[in-house]
Amino acid sequence: MSVTVPGTIPAESLRAWYDDQQVDDVVLYDITAQTATSLSAMLIARRRAAGDEREREHWSARMRLVAQQQAVLNPEDRAGLIAQQQAWLDEAHVLSDQAAPQPA
């Protein structure tokens, strides 16, 4: 079964979408973890393109927070997985709408 995660939509709609697609919690956990990995890649690009140490530290701190959030994901908390995923999707959407960083 192939699952394509929808774009940025309200968390309650995201849950309905996953329920309609009959995505079980194990797969949802994997999708959520992959969302963290994708966001982390975007944050790494931002850190590499940072113009100064302060900006690099900002992106490093954001990367650490995503790693911490990913580490405490509860595979049995469907609502929590969806809410965290939505937050990461929203952030990725904002970052992708901004100009692509160029390495310093």
Side-chain angles (χ1 to χ4, degrees):
M1 174 173 146
S2 174
V3 176
T4 302
V5 178
T8 303
I9 57 175
E12 59 275 0
S13 297
L14 188 58
R15 181 173 186 143
W17 188 87
Y18 281 125
D19 290 347
D20 289 346
Q21 299 296 314
Q22 299 178 344
V23 175
D24 70 21
D25 291 351
V26 173
V27 174
L28 178 58
Y29 175 84
D30 288 343
I31 292 169
T32 304
Q34 178 58 42
T35 302
T37 300
S38 297
L39 176 58
S40 293
M42 295 175 84
L43 296 171
I44 288 169
R46 297 290 168 150
R47 185 182 65 189
R48 287 183 177 163
D52 58 39
E53 186 57 35
R54 182 176 176 204
E55 188 179 359
R56 274 189 292 282
E57 180 51 36
H58 166 79
W59 296 116
S60 293
R62 187 66 197 112
M63 289 168 48
R64 287 190 299 273
L65 180 58
V66 170
Q68 290 169 352
Q69 291 168 325
Q70 184 177 4
V72 298
L73 288 175
N74 180 351
E76 297 174 2
D77 180 7
R78 187 174 185 86
L81 290 170
I82 292 168
Q84 184 60 74
Q85 184 181 139
Q86 186 63 60
W88 288 334
L89 288 170
D90 290 345
E91 183 174 0
H93 180 73
V94 167
L95 290 173
S96 66
D97 282 350
Q98 297 172 353
Q102 300 302 315

